[in-house]
Amino acid sequence: MPKSEIHPEWYPEAKVYCDGQMVMTVGSTKPELHVDVWSGNHPFYTGTQKIIDTEGRVERFMRKYGMSDTTDSAEGDAKSEA
């Protein structure tokens, strides 16, 4: 049995709100919880996550650190001459 007067009040049916809508109930020391993200609207869980490489990050990294493949550019020059 927990000591009295030292533990916060426990709410076994605390309501969780996201964007003003109740999304679930959980046990908590607060009667209401307001969250921005939960599993119902997070892209990882909903399957809407998209990875877009619009800037060509890998190619830019390779150029920046001198790791670009010079054989590709040499082949491209040879093809343009023919």
Side-chain angles (χ1 to χ4, degrees), residues 39-52:
S39 61
N41 68 356
H42 192 280
F44 179 80
Y45 297 105
T46 60
T48 59
Q49 183 177 20
K50 296 180 183 176
I51 299 173
I52 300 174

Side-chain angles (χ1 to χ4, degrees), residues 59-70:
E59 291 80 14
R60 191 177 67 208
F61 176 85
M62 298 294 263
R63 278 195 313 269
K64 182 177 180 179
Y65 292 103
M67 293 192 248
S68 62
D69 190 9
T70 57

Side-chain angles (χ1 to χ4, degrees), residues 1-37:
M1 190 75 184
K3 290 184 179 180
S4 61
E5 308 274 336
I6 65 166
H7 295 283
E9 186 175 350
W10 180 253
Y11 299 94
E13 296 293 321
K15 293 174 176 60
V16 179
Y17 292 94
C18 183
D19 295 330
Q21 297 179 3
M22 189 182 87
V23 292
M24 69 178 84
T25 59
V26 295
S28 178
T29 57
K30 296 184 178 187
E32 290 185 355
L33 301 168
H34 296 272
V35 296
D36 295 327
V37 178

